[in-house]
Amino acid sequence: MAEHPHAELVRKGYEAFQRGDMDTLRTLMSGDATHHVPGNHPLSGDFKGQDSIIDLYRRLNEETNGTLRVELRQVLVDGRGHAVGIHHLTAERGGKQLDENGAIVFRIVGDKATDLDECIEDIERANAFWS
């Protein structure tokens, strides 16, 4: 049985992110997509539009000197425009380490992600790491 198209889209996005392939990521999200990052730190907030999202991803890589790794563990879909990518994230920054589980809830319209709501295991730990 073939994978659901929304699961395939999420999987492609995670693979492109890991490769640093921002051109492919642009093809997977709408021009006005928004990525919501939880927490209260310099990289949290709402990043609206492809350019803003791509800049966020660039900053994540820069802040961690390329150590940020996101391993997709599972993709869940509802068949109605939502998909959840469950992942494990590791990174190093300024002598600190981040090692936690997380997820992104994707809203998909047509064949594009329009909304990415990030969920993390421990908001205070993330705040400490990124601050």
Side-chain angles (χ1 to χ4, degrees):
M1 183 180 220
E3 185 171 48
H4 190 279
H6 295 165
E8 196 175 316
L9 178 107
V10 168
R11 200 171 302 285
K12 283 181 186 177
Y14 273 88
E15 290 168 0
F17 180 86
Q18 271 308 115
R19 290 191 315 269
D21 183 353
M22 299 301 127
D23 291 334
T24 294
L25 283 172
R26 285 182 185 278
T27 70
L28 302 175
M29 61 180 124
S30 66
D32 63 348
T34 302
H35 188 138
H36 308 276
V37 179
N40 183 21
H41 56 79
L43 295 175
S44 64
D46 298 329
F47 298 83
K48 186 162 181 63
Q50 287 183 358
D51 291 342
S52 181
I53 294 169
I54 296 301
D55 188 54
L56 166 67
Y57 298 163
R58 177 193 58 76
R59 290 175 61 202
L60 292 171
N61 187 56
E62 280 181 3
E63 289 288 326
T64 62
N65 290 318
T67 64
L68 179 70
R69 295 286 174 261
V70 181
E71 178 189 340
L72 181 62
R73 298 268 171 97
Q74 191 171 12
V75 181
L76 309 172
V77 298
D78 70 356
R80 297 178 294 111
H82 299 95
V84 179
I86 301 169
H87 59 258
H88 187 80
L89 178 140
T90 58
E92 295 178 16
R93 178 178 182 267
K96 299 180 272 189
Q97 299 213 350
L98 189 62
D99 185 346
E100 69 177 15
N101 296 308
I104 299 176
V105 180
F106 295 84
R107 172 73 175 132
I108 300 167
V109 176
D111 62 351
K112 304 278 186 192
T114 62
D115 208 54
L116 297 81
D117 280 306
E118 192 171 333
C119 300
I120 54 179
E121 191 171 35
D122 186 330
I123 290 176
E124 293 309 316
R125 182 170 48 213
N127 286 339
F129 180 79
W130 294 109
S131 294

